Amino acid sequence: CFFILGLRVTVLLTSSLMVLGAGLRCVPVSDLEIRKKLIHGGQLLNGLAGPTVMNAAPFLSTTWFSPDERATATAIASLLNYLGAAGAFLVGPLVVPSPNGTSHLPLVSQSNTEHIKDRIEAVLYAEFGMVSLIFSAALAYFPSRPPFPPSVAAASQRLSYRRSFCRLLSNFRFLMIALAYAIPLGVFSGWSGVLDLILTPVHVSQVDAGWIGFWSIVGGCVVGIAMARFADFIRGMLKFILLLLLSGATLASTWFTLTCLSSVTHLPLTTATLYTSCILLGIFLNSSVPIFFELFVETVYPVPEGITCGVVTFLSNVFMGVLLFFLTFYHTEFSWFNWCLPGSCLLSLLLILCFRESYDRLYLDVVVSV
């Protein structure tokens, strides 16, 4: 979309899909079947817009920022999406009461059911208002490109769709780092989505699980932007940064998994250890996202940024979907789910170790500009 329609038209198109999707979920229909279909339709439209928004950061940074600012711009643009997910971890438990007995509220009754329904509708209306406001701001002013390109790469010609996909599928180094990104991030996304269910057997409430998710994402955003700024100052260090982050993620996920098996490992199972291991895991994995994005673009340049990041995002969603599919069959016990985390992080670490990095886009900017 970015390559064909440009940045402004693509952003307006995707944000309008989000407005329409959020609006469908708010239609006041008494028939539950119709309401269910409207909610599913709204989620579908929101899902169609999601990958485009997630993949906009590298294209935005290349179009608008100079080479010594690109990694930072990618980090800010991509990780701000995660702040919305961090807010969801808090909004859910704090605004909508839990019906499963993990909160201090009374168990489900007719009045409590109506109260939960009212609170859910309030959240849906608030989301519709925020999305509409963002769409209005983009419609009022969101230029597609600056008056003058900030770098040689920003003004250079890119490959067509067909040649881009052929280049990606035939590039073994790209497939290595694509799997290194998609496997742990996909597993982590599926795992964090059911974090409250995973922590319930160890007597952690839904609210505490929400706070764990919140701080892990916020910490990941802070560390990710700091790492990206470091990458802008000292170029050619993307692989080294990823090795550090994935090593930390492997250790943190192993710590969490062994802690949940305290009856076997005899490790202390406390709120502090669960908080620390989960938050560290989220920090290491979430902060790796913009570094991966920059490495993808550098490796396969001149393939358009949107196509490159779209492929890896699709792969990540595939791994998340496969994991959640198995969860529907093996949902009574979560130790296997927890072990998927250190396994995926370790596999990603090995792939990055074997990866030979190159900086084709940066080389073009430095050599041609000189």
Side-chain angles (χ1 to χ4, degrees):
C1 288
F2 299 115
F3 185 62
I4 296 177
L5 301 178
L7 192 59
R8 173 178 171 81
V9 176
T10 303
V11 169
L12 290 177
L13 177 62
T14 53
S15 57
S16 63
L17 288 176
M18 295 169 64
V19 171
L20 182 57
L24 286 178
R25 298 187 305 175
C26 298
V27 176
V29 179
S30 57
D31 190 306
L32 292 181
E33 284 301 318
I34 297 178
R35 185 71 184 273
K36 185 189 300 184
K37 292 178 181 179
L38 289 173
I39 291 176
H40 280 295
Q43 292 296 100
L44 176 63
L45 292 175
N46 187 71
L48 291 175
T52 305
V53 174
M54 292 296 295
N55 300 330
F59 183 79
L60 180 70
S61 64
T62 301
T63 304
W64 283 89
F65 295 91
S66 61
D68 59 347
E69 300 172 328
R70 279 198 295 242
T72 305
T74 298
I76 294 174
S78 60
L79 292 176
L80 282 180
N81 288 309
Y82 286 79
L83 286 181
F89 274 111
L90 293 186
V91 169
L94 296 181
V95 178
V96 182
S98 171
N100 59 8
T102 58
S103 69
H104 299 293
L105 295 170
L107 293 178
V108 177
S109 63
Q110 184 64 32
S111 59
N112 195 36
T113 302
E114 291 298 322
H115 177 65
I116 293 175
K117 177 184 175 183
D118 292 339
R119 303 302 292 175
I120 291 175
E121 289 181 349
V123 172
L124 295 179
Y125 283 123
E127 290 178 350
F128 175 67
M130 288 187 291
V131 172
S132 300
L133 180 63
I134 294 173
F135 171 73
S136 300
L139 184 62
Y141 181 76
F142 192 90
S144 187
R145 60 180 60 86
F148 303 99
S151 65
V152 176
S156 63
Q157 185 70 27
R158 303 306 172 88
L159 299 180
S160 64
Y161 266 100
R162 185 185 175 200
R163 293 185 62 191
S164 295
F165 281 110
C166 291
R167 175 76 67 89
L168 293 180
L169 296 178
S170 61
N171 190 326
F172 181 72
R173 293 192 305 121
F174 168 74
L175 295 178
M176 284 180 61
I177 55 173
L179 290 176
Y181 168 86
I183 294 175
L185 268 297
V187 171
F188 178 71
S189 297
W191 177 84
S192 59
V194 293
L195 183 59
D196 57 336
L197 298 178
I198 293 174
L199 294 178
T200 296
V202 293
H203 309 292
V204 175
S205 69
Q206 174 184 269
V207 174
D208 286 333
W211 279 110
I212 290 174
F214 174 79
W215 287 116
S216 66
I217 293 177
V218 171
C221 292
V222 174
V223 174
I225 293 173
M227 287 294 182
R229 197 64 194 139
F230 173 75
D232 277 331
F233 277 119
I234 306 178
R235 300 174 184 177
M237 299 290 287
L238 297 178
K239 177 180 176 178
F240 175 74
I241 294 173
L242 286 177
L243 288 175
L244 291 179
L245 295 176
L246 291 171
S247 297
T250 302
L251 294 175
S253 57
T254 303
W255 180 21
F256 171 83
T257 302
L258 294 177
T259 300
C260 291
L261 297 174
S262 59
S263 59
V264 178
T265 61
H266 303 291
L267 291 175
L269 179 60
T270 63
T271 304
T273 58
L274 290 174
Y275 261 72
T276 305
S277 58
C278 286
I279 290 173
L280 285 176
L281 173 61
I283 288 174
F284 288 128
L285 284 182
N286 289 327
S287 60
S288 70
V289 172
I291 308 300
F292 267 118
F293 279 180
E294 285 295 296
L295 189 58
F296 293 145
V297 176
E298 294 287 353
T299 301
V300 299
Y301 183 85
V303 175
E305 293 84 351
I307 296 177
T308 304
C309 297
V311 169
V312 296
T313 302
F314 172 77
L315 286 177
S316 177
N317 288 333
V318 167
F319 282 105
M320 178 181 66
V322 170
L323 195 67
L324 294 178
F325 174 77
F326 281 105
L327 184 62
T328 60
F329 297 99
Y330 305 99
H331 57 272
T332 57
E333 204 270 332
F334 292 99
S335 61
W336 68 272
F337 205 171
N338 292 334
W339 278 114
C340 288
L341 279 171
S344 63
C345 293
L346 180 60
L347 176 59
S348 177
L349 180 61
L350 295 176
L351 289 172
I352 294 297
L353 276 172
C354 299
F355 174 73
R356 180 176 57 84
E357 60 185 332
S358 63
Y359 296 89
D360 299 340
R361 182 182 59 170
L362 181 61
Y363 178 81
L364 177 68
D365 284 325
V366 172
V367 173
V368 176
S369 62
V370 171

mmCIF file of all heavy atoms in Angstrom, residues 69-106:
data_model
loop_
_atom_site.group_PDB
_atom_site.id
_atom_site.type_symbol
_atom_site.label_atom_id
_atom_site.label_comp_id
_atom_site.label_asym_id
_atom_site.label_seq_id
_atom_site.Cartn_x
_atom_site.Cartn_y
_atom_site.Cartn_z
ATOM 1 N N GLU A 69 19.168 9.320 12.085
ATOM 2 C CA GLU A 69 17.950 9.412 12.905
ATOM 3 C C GLU A 69 16.962 8.283 12.628
ATOM 4 O O GLU A 69 15.946 8.175 13.318
ATOM 5 C CB GLU A 69 17.242 10.757 12.640
ATOM 6 C CG GLU A 69 18.060 11.982 12.955
ATOM 7 C CD GLU A 69 17.372 13.263 12.482
ATOM 8 O OE1 GLU A 69 16.661 13.207 11.451
ATOM 9 O OE2 GLU A 69 17.560 14.306 13.122
ATOM 10 N N ARG A 70 17.254 7.445 11.649
ATOM 11 C CA ARG A 70 16.259 6.481 11.188
ATOM 12 C C ARG A 70 15.904 5.446 12.245
ATOM 13 O O ARG A 70 14.731 5.120 12.430
ATOM 14 C CB ARG A 70 16.750 5.799 9.905
ATOM 15 C CG ARG A 70 16.538 6.616 8.662
ATOM 16 C CD ARG A 70 16.616 5.781 7.409
ATOM 17 N NE ARG A 70 17.921 5.219 7.193
ATOM 18 C CZ ARG A 70 18.689 5.487 6.129
ATOM 19 N NH1 ARG A 70 18.261 6.344 5.210
ATOM 20 N NH2 ARG A 70 19.852 4.909 5.972
ATOM 21 N N ALA A 71 16.889 4.857 12.906
ATOM 22 C CA ALA A 71 16.595 3.820 13.894
ATOM 23 C C ALA A 71 15.751 4.380 15.038
ATOM 24 O O ALA A 71 14.809 3.719 15.505
ATOM 25 C CB ALA A 71 17.889 3.214 14.435
ATOM 26 N N THR A 72 16.065 5.588 15.479
ATOM 27 C CA THR A 72 15.280 6.207 16.549
ATOM 28 C C THR A 72 13.857 6.466 16.095
ATOM 29 O O THR A 72 12.900 6.216 16.842
ATOM 30 C CB THR A 72 15.940 7.522 16.992
ATOM 31 O OG1 THR A 72 17.301 7.274 17.352
ATOM 32 C CG2 THR A 72 15.208 8.117 18.191
ATOM 33 N N ALA A 73 13.689 6.984 14.875
ATOM 34 C CA ALA A 73 12.346 7.244 14.356
ATOM 35 C C ALA A 73 11.557 5.944 14.203
ATOM 36 O O ALA A 73 10.361 5.891 14.535
ATOM 37 C CB ALA A 73 12.435 7.958 13.004
ATOM 38 N N THR A 74 12.205 4.883 13.732
ATOM 39 C CA THR A 74 11.530 3.592 13.625
ATOM 40 C C THR A 74 11.099 3.089 14.992
ATOM 41 O O THR A 74 9.992 2.558 15.152
ATOM 42 C CB THR A 74 12.464 2.562 12.964
ATOM 43 O OG1 THR A 74 12.785 2.999 11.639
ATOM 44 C CG2 THR A 74 11.805 1.197 12.884
ATOM 45 N N ALA A 75 11.974 3.251 15.982
ATOM 46 C CA ALA A 75 11.648 2.787 17.334
ATOM 47 C C ALA A 75 10.453 3.544 17.911
ATOM 48 O O ALA A 75 9.525 2.940 18.472
ATOM 49 C CB ALA A 75 12.866 2.946 18.242
ATOM 50 N N ILE A 76 10.457 4.853 17.776
ATOM 51 C CA ILE A 76 9.352 5.644 18.330
ATOM 52 C C ILE A 76 8.047 5.303 17.627
ATOM 53 O O ILE A 76 7.015 5.067 18.268
ATOM 54 C CB ILE A 76 9.671 7.156 18.211
ATOM 55 C CG1 ILE A 76 10.869 7.507 19.103
ATOM 56 C CG2 ILE A 76 8.461 7.990 18.604
ATOM 57 C CD1 ILE A 76 11.346 8.943 18.943
ATOM 58 N N ALA A 77 8.072 5.254 16.300
ATOM 59 C CA ALA A 77 6.840 5.007 15.548
ATOM 60 C C ALA A 77 6.301 3.599 15.775
ATOM 61 O O ALA A 77 5.078 3.402 15.861
ATOM 62 C CB ALA A 77 7.085 5.234 14.053
ATOM 63 N N SER A 78 7.177 2.609 15.871
ATOM 64 C CA SER A 78 6.702 1.230 16.041
ATOM 65 C C SER A 78 6.315 0.933 17.480
ATOM 66 O O SER A 78 5.318 0.245 17.733
ATOM 67 C CB SER A 78 7.784 0.243 15.574
ATOM 68 O OG SER A 78 8.973 0.405 16.327
ATOM 69 N N LEU A 79 7.080 1.452 18.442
ATOM 70 C CA LEU A 79 6.816 1.119 19.842
ATOM 71 C C LEU A 79 5.645 1.903 20.425
ATOM 72 O O LEU A 79 5.058 1.469 21.428
ATOM 73 C CB LEU A 79 8.076 1.357 20.675
ATOM 74 C CG LEU A 79 9.229 0.392 20.367
ATOM 75 C CD1 LEU A 79 10.467 0.760 21.165
ATOM 76 C CD2 LEU A 79 8.822 -1.042 20.652
ATOM 77 N N LEU A 80 5.286 3.040 19.805
ATOM 78 C CA LEU A 80 4.089 3.743 20.283
ATOM 79 C C LEU A 80 2.845 2.887 20.077
ATOM 80 O O LEU A 80 1.869 3.012 20.818
ATOM 81 C CB LEU A 80 3.943 5.088 19.565
ATOM 82 C CG LEU A 80 4.851 6.213 20.058
ATOM 83 C CD1 LEU A 80 4.609 7.482 19.264
ATOM 84 C CD2 LEU A 80 4.636 6.483 21.544
ATOM 85 N N ASN A 81 2.858 2.008 19.061
ATOM 86 C CA ASN A 81 1.748 1.071 18.898
ATOM 87 C C ASN A 81 1.605 0.171 20.122
ATOM 88 O O ASN A 81 0.500 -0.181 20.527
ATOM 89 C CB ASN A 81 1.973 0.199 17.658
ATOM 90 C CG ASN A 81 1.790 0.965 16.361
ATOM 91 O OD1 ASN A 81 0.786 1.632 16.159
ATOM 92 N ND2 ASN A 81 2.757 0.867 15.480
ATOM 93 N N TYR A 82 2.744 -0.183 20.700
ATOM 94 C CA TYR A 82 2.718 -1.083 21.849
ATOM 95 C C TYR A 82 2.173 -0.384 23.103
ATOM 96 O O TYR A 82 1.682 -1.057 24.014
ATOM 97 C CB TYR A 82 4.117 -1.627 22.128
ATOM 98 C CG TYR A 82 4.556 -2.666 21.127
ATOM 99 C CD1 TYR A 82 5.030 -2.289 19.871
ATOM 100 C CD2 TYR A 82 4.488 -4.011 21.412
ATOM 101 C CE1 TYR A 82 5.423 -3.231 18.938
ATOM 102 C CE2 TYR A 82 4.884 -4.966 20.486
ATOM 103 C CZ TYR A 82 5.348 -4.569 19.254
ATOM 104 O OH TYR A 82 5.730 -5.508 18.333
ATOM 105 N N LEU A 83 2.278 0.940 23.158
ATOM 106 C CA LEU A 83 1.713 1.646 24.312
ATOM 107 C C LEU A 83 0.209 1.486 24.369
ATOM 108 O O LEU A 83 -0.388 1.474 25.448
ATOM 109 C CB LEU A 83 2.091 3.126 24.260
ATOM 110 C CG LEU A 83 3.537 3.460 24.601
ATOM 111 C CD1 LEU A 83 3.762 4.965 24.530
ATOM 112 C CD2 LEU A 83 3.911 2.942 25.978
ATOM 113 N N GLY A 84 -0.435 1.368 23.200
ATOM 114 C CA GLY A 84 -1.862 1.079 23.185
ATOM 115 C C GLY A 84 -2.162 -0.265 23.807
ATOM 116 O O GLY A 84 -3.122 -0.421 24.577
ATOM 117 N N ALA A 85 -1.322 -1.273 23.496
ATOM 118 C CA ALA A 85 -1.488 -2.582 24.128
ATOM 119 C C ALA A 85 -1.230 -2.505 25.622
ATOM 120 O O ALA A 85 -1.894 -3.191 26.419
ATOM 121 C CB ALA A 85 -0.543 -3.586 23.472
ATOM 122 N N ALA A 86 -0.270 -1.676 26.029
ATOM 123 C CA ALA A 86 -0.011 -1.502 27.459
ATOM 124 C C ALA A 86 -1.237 -0.909 28.157
ATOM 125 O O ALA A 86 -1.604 -1.324 29.263
ATOM 126 C CB ALA A 86 1.205 -0.595 27.663
ATOM 127 N N GLY A 87 -1.879 0.061 27.491
ATOM 128 C CA GLY A 87 -3.097 0.621 28.060
ATOM 129 C C GLY A 87 -4.207 -0.399 28.174
ATOM 130 O O GLY A 87 -4.986 -0.401 29.133
ATOM 131 N N ALA A 88 -4.266 -1.324 27.190
ATOM 132 C CA ALA A 88 -5.304 -2.359 27.230
ATOM 133 C C ALA A 88 -5.133 -3.282 28.426
ATOM 134 O O ALA A 88 -6.115 -3.762 29.012
ATOM 135 C CB ALA A 88 -5.267 -3.172 25.937
ATOM 136 N N PHE A 89 -3.885 -3.548 28.828
ATOM 137 C CA PHE A 89 -3.637 -4.379 30.002
ATOM 138 C C PHE A 89 -4.234 -3.749 31.257
ATOM 139 O O PHE A 89 -4.650 -4.460 32.175
ATOM 140 C CB PHE A 89 -2.136 -4.587 30.204
ATOM 141 C CG PHE A 89 -1.582 -5.737 29.425
ATOM 142 C CD1 PHE A 89 -0.732 -5.510 28.359
ATOM 143 C CD2 PHE A 89 -1.894 -7.046 29.746
ATOM 144 C CE1 PHE A 89 -0.211 -6.561 27.621
ATOM 145 C CE2 PHE A 89 -1.380 -8.108 29.026
ATOM 146 C CZ PHE A 89 -0.533 -7.863 27.965
ATOM 147 N N LEU A 90 -4.280 -2.407 31.292
ATOM 148 C CA LEU A 90 -4.824 -1.729 32.471
ATOM 149 C C LEU A 90 -6.316 -1.470 32.341
ATOM 150 O O LEU A 90 -7.064 -1.630 33.305
ATOM 151 C CB LEU A 90 -4.088 -0.401 32.686
ATOM 152 C CG LEU A 90 -2.615 -0.488 33.089
ATOM 153 C CD1 LEU A 90 -2.089 0.897 33.395
ATOM 154 C CD2 LEU A 90 -2.435 -1.395 34.295
ATOM 155 N N VAL A 91 -6.747 -1.058 31.147
ATOM 156 C CA VAL A 91 -8.148 -0.694 30.967
ATOM 157 C C VAL A 91 -9.055 -1.881 31.244
ATOM 158 O O VAL A 91 -10.085 -1.763 31.916
ATOM 159 C CB VAL A 91 -8.384 -0.147 29.544
ATOM 160 C CG1 VAL A 91 -9.873 -0.008 29.258
ATOM 161 C CG2 VAL A 91 -7.695 1.192 29.378
ATOM 162 N N GLY A 92 -8.663 -3.060 30.723
ATOM 163 C CA GLY A 92 -9.487 -4.246 30.924
ATOM 164 C C GLY A 92 -9.759 -4.552 32.391
ATOM 165 O O GLY A 92 -10.905 -4.541 32.847
ATOM 166 N N PRO A 93 -8.695 -4.807 33.190
ATOM 167 C CA PRO A 93 -8.931 -5.151 34.592
ATOM 168 C C PRO A 93 -9.478 -4.012 35.452
ATOM 169 O O PRO A 93 -10.252 -4.249 36.369
ATOM 170 C CB PRO A 93 -7.540 -5.567 35.081
ATOM 171 C CG PRO A 93 -6.769 -5.887 33.850
ATOM 172 C CD PRO A 93 -7.305 -4.976 32.794
ATOM 173 N N LEU A 94 -9.084 -2.758 35.160
ATOM 174 C CA LEU A 94 -9.470 -1.648 36.036
ATOM 175 C C LEU A 94 -10.850 -1.091 35.719
ATOM 176 O O LEU A 94 -11.527 -0.578 36.608
ATOM 177 C CB LEU A 94 -8.425 -0.531 35.935
ATOM 178 C CG LEU A 94 -7.017 -0.886 36.437
ATOM 179 C CD1 LEU A 94 -6.088 0.313 36.306
ATOM 180 C CD2 LEU A 94 -7.060 -1.367 37.889
ATOM 181 N N VAL A 95 -11.274 -1.175 34.450
ATOM 182 C CA VAL A 95 -12.571 -0.619 34.075
ATOM 183 C C VAL A 95 -13.659 -1.677 34.084
ATOM 184 O O VAL A 95 -14.773 -1.438 34.556
ATOM 185 C CB VAL A 95 -12.488 0.050 32.682
ATOM 186 C CG1 VAL A 95 -13.853 0.582 32.263
ATOM 187 C CG2 VAL A 95 -11.463 1.171 32.694
ATOM 188 N N VAL A 96 -13.326 -2.864 33.569
ATOM 189 C CA VAL A 96 -14.317 -3.941 33.485
ATOM 190 C C VAL A 96 -14.044 -4.955 34.583
ATOM 191 O O VAL A 96 -12.976 -5.560 34.616
ATOM 192 C CB VAL A 96 -14.267 -4.629 32.108
ATOM 193 C CG1 VAL A 96 -15.337 -5.710 32.031
ATOM 194 C CG2 VAL A 96 -14.440 -3.608 30.999
ATOM 195 N N PRO A 97 -14.990 -5.183 35.504
ATOM 196 C CA PRO A 97 -14.770 -6.155 36.582
ATOM 197 C C PRO A 97 -14.692 -7.574 36.054
ATOM 198 O O PRO A 97 -15.275 -7.910 35.028
ATOM 199 C CB PRO A 97 -15.985 -5.956 37.491
ATOM 200 C CG PRO A 97 -17.029 -5.363 36.614
ATOM 201 C CD PRO A 97 -16.301 -4.522 35.607
ATOM 202 N N SER A 98 -13.950 -8.407 36.777
ATOM 203 C CA SER A 98 -13.755 -9.786 36.348
ATOM 204 C C SER A 98 -14.909 -10.666 36.810
ATOM 205 O O SER A 98 -15.335 -10.583 37.958
ATOM 206 C CB SER A 98 -12.447 -10.333 36.931
ATOM 207 O OG SER A 98 -12.336 -11.707 36.693
ATOM 208 N N PRO A 99 -15.441 -11.531 35.940
ATOM 209 C CA PRO A 99 -16.529 -12.423 36.331
ATOM 210 C C PRO A 99 -16.072 -13.789 36.826
ATOM 211 O O PRO A 99 -16.886 -14.618 37.183
ATOM 212 C CB PRO A 99 -17.304 -12.600 35.020
ATOM 213 C CG PRO A 99 -16.247 -12.542 33.986
ATOM 214 C CD PRO A 99 -15.210 -11.572 34.488
ATOM 215 N N ASN A 100 -14.736 -14.028 36.802
ATOM 216 C CA ASN A 100 -14.276 -15.382 37.086
ATOM 217 C C ASN A 100 -13.812 -15.596 38.519
ATOM 218 O O ASN A 100 -13.165 -16.584 38.833
ATOM 219 C CB ASN A 100 -13.135 -15.768 36.135
ATOM 220 C CG ASN A 100 -11.958 -14.817 36.262
ATOM 221 O OD1 ASN A 100 -11.913 -13.971 37.145
ATOM 222 N ND2 ASN A 100 -10.998 -14.967 35.359
ATOM 223 N N GLY A 101 -14.092 -14.638 39.379
ATOM 224 C CA GLY A 101 -13.768 -14.833 40.776
ATOM 225 C C GLY A 101 -12.355 -14.455 41.154
ATOM 226 O O GLY A 101 -11.951 -14.644 42.297
ATOM 227 N N THR A 102 -11.554 -13.895 40.208
ATOM 228 C CA THR A 102 -10.192 -13.531 40.548
ATOM 229 C C THR A 102 -10.105 -12.120 41.113
ATOM 230 O O THR A 102 -9.054 -11.718 41.565
ATOM 231 C CB THR A 102 -9.301 -13.613 39.298
ATOM 232 O OG1 THR A 102 -9.823 -12.736 38.292
ATOM 233 C CG2 THR A 102 -9.272 -15.032 38.761
ATOM 234 N N SER A 103 -11.204 -11.378 41.091
ATOM 235 C CA SER A 103 -11.201 -10.054 41.685
ATOM 236 C C SER A 103 -11.952 -10.094 42.999
ATOM 237 O O SER A 103 -12.494 -11.110 43.410
ATOM 238 C CB SER A 103 -11.857 -9.039 40.728
ATOM 239 O OG SER A 103 -13.225 -9.303 40.628
ATOM 240 N N HIS A 104 -11.968 -8.956 43.696
ATOM 241 C CA HIS A 104 -12.648 -8.874 44.974
ATOM 242 C C HIS A 104 -14.128 -8.534 44.820
ATOM 243 O O HIS A 104 -14.832 -8.366 45.812
ATOM 244 C CB HIS A 104 -11.960 -7.809 45.857
ATOM 245 C CG HIS A 104 -10.517 -8.143 46.139
ATOM 246 N ND1 HIS A 104 -10.125 -9.209 46.909
ATOM 247 C CD2 HIS A 104 -9.369 -7.548 45.721
ATOM 248 C CE1 HIS A 104 -8.798 -9.258 47.000
ATOM 249 N NE2 HIS A 104 -8.326 -8.253 46.275
ATOM 250 N N LEU A 105 -14.598 -8.448 43.579
ATOM 251 C CA LEU A 105 -16.005 -8.129 43.351
ATOM 252 C C LEU A 105 -16.860 -9.375 43.552
ATOM 253 O O LEU A 105 -16.372 -10.507 43.481
ATOM 254 C CB LEU A 105 -16.185 -7.598 41.931
ATOM 255 C CG LEU A 105 -15.495 -6.264 41.644
ATOM 256 C CD1 LEU A 105 -15.542 -5.964 40.161
ATOM 257 C CD2 LEU A 105 -16.111 -5.144 42.438
ATOM 258 N N PRO A 106 -18.161 -9.221 43.786
ATOM 259 C CA PRO A 106 -19.022 -10.397 43.938
ATOM 260 C C PRO A 106 -19.021 -11.234 42.673
ATOM 261 O O PRO A 106 -18.755 -10.760 41.578
ATOM 262 C CB PRO A 106 -20.408 -9.774 44.182
ATOM 263 C CG PRO A 106 -20.147 -8.385 44.608
ATOM 264 C CD PRO A 106 -18.888 -7.947 43.941
#
